Amino acid sequence: MVANPRSICVTASDYSCILSISEEEARWKALNEYLSTRSYIQGFTFSQADVEVFRQLPSPPGDPHFHVVRWYRHIEAIYDGSNEKHDSCQLQTSKSKRTQPPWFPPQGTKQPKLCLYNSLTRNKEVFQPQNGNMVTWYCCGPTVYDASHMGHARSYISFDILRRILRDYFKYDVFYCMNITDIDDKIIKRARQNYLFEQYTEKKPSAAQLLEDVQTASEPFSVKLHETSDPDKKQMLERIQNAVKDAVEPLEKALRNRLSEEEINKQAGVVLQEAKDILSEWLDGKLCSQVTDNAIFSNLPKFWEEEYHKDMAALNVLPADVLTRVSEYVPEIVDFVQRIVDNGYGYVSNGSVYFDTMKFDSSEKHSYAKLVPEAVGDQKALQEGEGDLSISADRLSEKRSPSDFALWKSSKPGEPSWDSPWGKAYFENDNWVHYFLHTGHLTIAGCKMSKSLKNFITIKDALKKHTARQLRLAFLMHSWKDTLDYSSNTMECAIQYERFMNEFFLNVKDILRAPADVTGQFEKWDSQEIALNKSFSDKKATVHEALCDNIDTRTVLEEMRSLVSQCNSYIAGKKSTRQMPNRMLLENISIYLTQMFKIFGAVEGDEANIGFPVGGNGQTLNLESTVMPYLQILSEFREGIRQIAKDKKGIVVSDADAFLYNSLLRINIETAVSEVLQLCDSLRDDVLPEHGVRFEDHEGLPTVVKLVDRDTLLKEREEKKKIEEEKKRKKEAAARKKQEQEAAKLAKMKIPPGEMFKSEHDKYSKFDENGFPTHDMEGKEVSKGQMKKLKKLYEAQEKLYKEYLQMVQNGTAN
């Protein structure tokens, strides 16, 4: 007999009823049900009955009897340590006598260390700051003599990304110092030439004088062009020369034909503009010594430095913690150069001070050209580094060795000067660091970019085509140390990436706006959520590994794209089954992605928002939170109108006798409904995009409301119109083709079978009474095989002609 455990009544002090059950499994079930009513959380005390039952059990039962196992383990844990259960049981119920079991930390996994590519070693090296968490960073800033270009953007956006990641991701305390070179050969020459050219234009030379001066200035320019061996520079000089020739010819013609003064002045202005470089070079060669005002040399770099800072702000590049202008540190530089001379590594020559590379390299403590050893002896690179004013014969003769370079240059007439122990001069300097980071070069559509070659795009011009975020994304999608090609393909990839990510953020924000109470935010996780969260965790780990690996942002962005693709699939899967996606999971992923974009500098501001901000840089108002409630009301109102219009499409009057009224009413209602729906579509397609609002209609689902950049929406609208126009064109072309085919078919059907072969005079010469060919053009009888083929064609045409006759009879042959 097997007892039913649910029918047994027991008390805490009496297990006899349970233990009397003979069948073992039933006994375990009964004991398990009884013990399920007892608590082990707050001070449970065992009775003698508990101890007796415990002594009778040889071992705990299997897992299905959870409560028995828990009760057994609990008593066993506080047993007095006796190995034999038949010994007197002394239970240690006092908490003070119990000890915790030993604890061991988890083994964990090996975490990657941050490694950076060090140009000094040409290897990835573990990044180890010299002083705790403090990182002192010296960045070589611009030489400010002209507009900042995309080459500058390549360096300073890339360094800004690295700086932000070190500071905001790896949590280093970064002190960022950048210099501004406002004393340099390029600056001196450009400032002087600009001044002399302005003086020349203010004198308003006559057209004839201008032509004469251009002709005179072109002679040394032609010599310079002839002597230039560098192909890129030669091409640039030829381009300037050709532009001047093209501008001169119309002015000469205007003077010969004695055109109006207005026309001559107009052509003279074109010549003056195109010949600026040639004239400036010529004027500088004649009059440079007459430029003595130091303010001329300071105003130019001051202006371009201000423009540089504006460009950096427009690119969302963080300002330096400290900025060092060369002109502000002259006394310190003088002292520094003097120490080099005192140490024997510098020498004075004709008022200039040069670094003695040979002596420095021969020292056991030093090694010259550690960064690029193979560049030693490269006079072209040295002269480019020293500047145009340092490569004259008298300058070069001052050196002990061609490899020596100037620390302090003596000033000549037409150059700014500062006092020093070695005479009035201007100067250059150098610095030392532990890690050297060099960003990759930038090419323009595969061609070398160079300001000196006049092959460059200014930052301001680049920002007219693309946003600062798009430019930054383009840089993030490439390795910071490799060459980057700035081209339409590169930027299109960045635009598509931004659009892809932005659509995800907009979709998540729409999901989060759906009404939900507090507890409704915490939905049950099923297998889809568990899988997505697992992927989220894996992606974060992969992102961390990539950032540790020389700050590999290219891999990071690809992993982020992959994560969003998985989220999109998850959302689509949920919506296909009319289920709401897990709000909190998607919000957590979106917050992480947004935070990464903030760390990269691709999201401006510190507001705790999801995704890319609406309204552009400097948007103090949270546009989305401000206008979205009103847009939601508008969307719901529009949706109500659309639904009413759809419902009214099928309305009819039930009176069977009112057929005419019913028909007219249906026509009027359908016309009104169509007009209402057209107005709703016009609001969606024409009105709202002008204000940066996108409505997305989905059958059976609420309208999705998104705030998007206005220009983006207008571009989308134009692309949509082009696609629709192309579809319309193809549809019309297909209809015409079908019509032509049908017309051709009808024309063929009209031909009686007896006439179809008679028109083929180039093939057949004789026919029978039914119009069937019997002889070919040469008079030979048609072969049996050919007759068989022709018979099939004849029968097919006979069938078509019968169909035509039937259509004529039915009146459908038109």
Side-chain angles (χ1 to χ4, degrees):
M1 176 179 179
V2 178
N4 182 357
R6 293 188 177 275
S7 65
I8 298 174
C9 298
V10 295
T11 63
S13 60
D14 189 4
Y15 288 91
S16 59
C17 184
I18 295 175
L19 296 177
S20 65
I21 299 174
S22 60
E23 205 275 318
E24 184 178 19
E25 182 61 25
R27 186 166 63 250
W28 285 127
K29 287 183 179 180
L31 183 59
N32 190 68
E33 182 167 334
Y34 165 63
L35 292 174
S36 68
T37 64
R38 301 176 66 175
S39 172
Y40 300 85
I41 299 176
Q42 296 181 347
F44 177 79
T45 303
F46 294 103
S47 66
Q48 187 60 35
D50 291 310
V51 175
E52 291 299 327
V53 173
F54 172 74
R55 292 177 61 188
Q56 294 180 38
L57 299 177
S59 63
D63 290 339
H65 308 297
F66 167 76
H67 299 289
V68 178
V69 173
R70 183 177 63 170
W71 168 85
Y72 186 94
R73 296 301 186 196
H74 208 151
I75 298 178
E76 186 179 49
I78 61 173
Y79 194 65
D80 68 350
S82 173
N83 293 326
E84 300 295 334
K85 289 187 177 181
H86 58 266
D87 292 346
S88 59
C89 294
Q90 299 177 0
L91 298 179
Q92 299 178 355
T93 56
S94 173
K95 292 183 180 179
S96 62
K97 294 180 181 180
R98 300 186 64 181
T99 59
Q100 289 183 324
W103 178 85
F104 301 97
Q107 291 183 350
T109 56
K110 186 178 180 180
Q111 292 298 308
K113 293 183 179 180
L114 172 61
C115 294
L116 296 177
Y117 183 85
N118 189 352
S119 300
L120 185 62
T121 63
R122 303 186 186 185
N123 282 306
K124 294 178 186 178
E125 307 289 356
V126 174
F127 184 67
Q128 180 61 57
Q130 188 173 354
N131 183 20
N133 208 43
M134 182 72 179
V135 175
T136 53
W137 186 332
Y138 175 83
C139 177
C140 183
T143 300
V144 282
Y145 70 99
D146 206 337
S148 300
H149 52 71
M150 284 304 295
H152 294 118
R154 170 58 168 152
S155 294
Y156 300 120
I157 290 178
S158 297
F159 283 143
D160 185 67
I161 291 169
L162 298 183
R163 177 188 177 188
R164 288 172 180 267
I165 291 173
L166 289 177
R167 186 192 69 175
D168 300 332
Y169 186 85
F170 291 105
K171 305 303 180 183
Y172 286 109
D173 184 7
V174 180
F175 182 79
Y176 194 84
C177 173
M178 187 179 75
N179 82 304
I180 292 287
T181 302
D182 56 353
I183 304 172
D184 180 84
D185 287 358
K186 294 184 181 73
I187 295 173
I188 295 169
K189 190 174 181 179
R190 178 65 61 84
R192 195 170 60 207
Q193 290 185 356
N194 284 355
Y195 172 75
L196 292 172
F197 185 76
E198 287 171 7
Q199 294 292 307
Y200 179 82
T201 55
E202 286 177 2
K203 293 178 182 178
K204 296 182 179 178
S206 65
Q209 182 65 51
L210 175 62
L211 286 174
E212 182 181 343
D213 290 341
V214 169
Q215 181 64 35
T216 304
S218 296
E219 294 176 3
F221 185 86
S222 297
V223 174
K224 180 179 179 181
L225 172 59
H226 179 72
E227 294 176 347
T228 299
S229 58
D230 183 276
D232 292 327
K233 189 172 184 180
K234 196 176 190 70
Q235 187 180 33
M236 181 266 292
L237 295 176
E238 288 174 344
R239 195 163 56 243
I240 293 174
Q241 187 181 62
N242 293 333
V244 172
K245 287 180 180 179
D246 291 342
V248 163
E249 289 177 3
L251 178 57
E252 290 176 333
K253 185 177 180 181
L255 287 172
R256 284 196 306 269
N257 296 335
R258 298 183 180 181
L259 299 182
S260 65
E261 183 178 355
E262 181 181 358
E263 182 62 25
I264 290 174
N265 289 337
K266 178 182 176 182
Q267 296 299 334
V270 175
V271 171
L272 197 62
Q273 183 63 35
E274 294 296 339
K276 180 180 178 180
D277 290 328
I278 292 178
L279 288 170
S280 297
E281 192 80 29
W282 172 64
L283 292 168
D284 191 44
K286 289 200 314 174
L287 307 172
C288 65
S289 61
Q290 299 179 16
V291 182
T292 58
D293 185 2
N294 268 10
I296 293 171
F297 303 102
S298 61
N299 289 338
L300 179 78
K302 184 178 180 181
F303 171 81
W304 286 117
E305 182 191 335
E306 185 174 348
E307 291 300 303
Y308 164 80
H309 291 308
K310 290 178 182 177
D311 288 340
M312 293 301 105
L315 292 173
N316 196 34
V317 171
L318 294 171
D321 295 312
V322 62
L323 197 73
T324 58
R325 298 181 185 88
V326 173
S327 61
E328 296 175 344
Y329 284 81
V330 172
E332 291 85 350
I333 293 173
V334 169
D335 292 342
F336 189 73
V337 172
Q338 183 63 58
R339 288 167 56 194
I340 294 175
V341 173
D342 293 343
N343 289 334
Y345 297 122
Y347 59 90
V348 181
S349 178
N350 197 25
S352 297
V353 180
Y354 291 91
F355 188 82
D356 193 334
T357 57
M358 301 294 289
K359 188 169 184 180
F360 182 83
D361 194 45
S362 63
S363 170
E364 295 181 357
K365 299 180 180 179
H366 303 293
S367 175
Y368 180 63
K370 290 187 293 184
L371 196 61
V372 190
E374 63 271 21
V376 174
D378 187 342
Q379 292 302 306
K380 182 180 178 182
L382 181 63
Q383 291 174 10
E384 184 178 344
E386 288 208 281
D388 293 343
L389 306 182
S390 304
I391 59 175
S392 60
D394 57 337
R395 288 286 194 196
L396 295 175
S397 66
E398 295 174 354
K399 298 181 178 183
R400 293 177 182 174
S401 167
S403 297
D404 294 350
F405 57 88
L407 297 171
W408 186 272
K409 298 177 183 178
S410 61
S411 179
K412 292 182 177 181
E415 298 175 355
S417 61
W418 287 262
D419 291 331
S420 77
W422 319 287
K424 291 183 176 292
Y426 66 102
F427 55 87
E428 294 179 352
N429 64 334
D430 202 356
N431 293 274
W432 296 265
V433 291
H434 290 291
Y435 294 87
F436 282 84
L437 308 182
H438 288 88
T439 61
H441 293 294
L442 182 132
T443 58
I444 299 178
C447 301
K448 177 183 177 182
M449 199 209 74
S450 170
K451 184 180 286 186
S452 62
L453 298 178
K454 299 185 182 297
N455 176 37
F456 66 95
I457 298 173
T458 66
I459 291 174
K460 285 183 173 60
D461 286 341
L463 286 173
K464 291 176 183 177
K465 290 185 176 181
H466 304 105
T467 66
R469 181 184 302 122
Q470 289 165 353
L471 292 173
R472 187 170 288 250
L473 287 173
F475 291 178
L476 285 162
M477 295 172 76
H478 294 77
S479 170
W480 60 268
K481 74 176 189 67
D482 295 336
T483 298
L484 169 67
D485 186 45
Y486 177 69
S487 63
S488 57
N489 288 339
T490 299
M491 294 312 304
E492 183 60 28
C493 289
I495 292 169
Q496 292 298 331
Y497 187 91
E498 179 191 41
R499 184 177 299 166
F500 177 77
M501 301 301 295
N502 193 44
E503 282 302 312
F504 168 70
F505 288 133
L506 293 173
N507 287 330
V508 171
K509 285 189 277 191
D510 181 71
I511 291 170
L512 296 179
R513 280 195 297 270
D517 53 28
V518 175
T519 57
Q521 299 178 37
F522 302 93
E523 298 101 337
K524 178 179 180 290
W525 281 32
D526 292 323
S527 58
Q528 300 102 312
E529 286 76 24
I530 294 172
L532 181 58
N533 189 62
K534 174 64 167 56
S535 178
F536 180 30
S537 179
D538 292 343
K539 293 298 182 187
K540 286 190 288 186
T542 306
V543 165
H544 181 70
E545 291 176 4
L547 290 177
C548 287
D549 184 16
N550 196 38
I551 307 186
D552 181 6
T553 57
R554 176 170 51 187
T555 296
V556 170
L557 262 62
E558 283 305 312
E559 292 299 324
M560 292 167 65
R561 187 206 299 267
S562 174
L563 176 59
V564 168
S565 295
Q566 292 172 1
C567 289
N568 288 341
S569 298
Y570 165 75
I571 294 172
K574 285 290 186 179
K575 287 191 174 181
S576 66
T577 57
R578 293 291 190 271
Q579 291 180 296
M580 192 67 179
N582 191 289
R583 299 158 58 99
M584 188 159 289
L585 178 56
L586 290 175
E587 184 176 20
N588 288 339
I589 293 174
S590 300
I591 290 172
Y592 168 77
L593 294 172
T594 303
Q595 185 59 32
M596 293 306 299
F597 281 125
K598 283 184 178 180
I599 289 173
F600 296 155
V603 171
E604 308 84 2
D606 299 323
E607 295 82 5
N609 297 324
I610 288 176
F612 302 136
V614 180
N617 296 354
Q619 184 75 39
T620 56
L621 180 69
N622 188 333
L623 186 63
E624 193 161 19
S625 63
T626 303
V627 305
M628 191 54 73
Y630 304 100
L631 291 176
Q632 204 67 42
I633 293 172
L634 175 62
S635 172
E636 291 171 1
F637 172 76
R638 174 179 171 274
E639 184 63 26
I641 293 295
R642 292 177 72 239
Q643 193 58 49
I644 292 173
K646 290 178 180 180
D647 294 342
K648 294 299 182 184
K649 271 188 174 181
I651 191 170
V652 293
V653 176
S654 58
D655 188 355
D657 297 329
F659 175 78
L660 179 61
Y661 176 76
N662 204 354
S663 300
L664 293 173
L665 180 63
R666 182 185 295 109
I667 293 172
N668 290 335
I669 288 177
E670 289 182 354
T671 301
V673 165
S674 178
E675 290 175 354
V676 169
L677 292 176
Q678 285 177 8
L679 284 174
C680 290
D681 290 346
S682 177
L683 177 67
R684 177 194 62 202
D685 300 333
D686 303 323
V687 178
L688 292 178
E690 293 286 347
H691 301 279
V693 180
R694 183 199 291 157
F695 277 7
E696 295 179 357
D697 295 327
H698 300 280
E699 190 65 33
L701 295 172
T703 297
V704 177
V705 184
K706 296 179 179 179
L707 278 182
V708 185
D709 178 69
R710 176 179 178 272
D711 292 339
T712 300
L713 287 181
L714 295 184
K715 287 179 182 178
E716 287 180 0
R717 187 170 68 184
E718 290 303 312
E719 290 174 1
K720 184 179 178 181
K721 285 183 178 178
K722 289 180 181 179
I723 293 172
E724 289 176 350
E725 288 173 358
E726 181 64 17
K727 285 183 178 179
K728 183 180 178 182
R729 186 190 65 79
K730 288 182 178 180
K731 186 176 181 181
E732 291 174 348
R736 284 195 302 272
K737 185 177 181 180
K738 184 179 180 182
Q739 189 176 11
E740 291 170 358
Q741 290 173 341
E742 289 177 350
K745 181 180 178 182
L746 182 61
K748 185 178 180 181
M749 292 174 71
K750 290 180 180 180
I751 301 174
E755 300 294 328
M756 65 177 295
F757 293 119
K758 290 182 178 180
S759 61
E760 299 180 2
H761 303 292
D762 58 335
K763 292 183 179 180
Y764 311 108
S765 59
K766 292 182 180 181
F767 305 87
D768 65 11
E769 65 276 9
N770 294 321
F772 200 85
T774 58
H775 293 75
D776 61 18
M777 282 298 297
E778 297 178 357
K780 297 179 181 179
E781 290 187 2
V782 176
S783 65
K784 291 182 178 180
Q786 184 67 13
M787 289 283 286
K788 190 175 182 181
K789 292 180 181 178
L790 293 176
K791 186 177 181 180
K792 285 184 178 180
L793 293 175
Y794 187 92
E795 291 173 350
Q797 184 62 30
E798 193 174 32
K799 183 179 180 182
L800 285 175
Y801 187 66
K802 287 180 179 179
E803 290 180 9
Y804 170 70
L805 294 178
Q806 186 65 43
M807 291 169 62
V808 171
Q809 187 176 352
N810 296 336
T812 59
N814 296 326

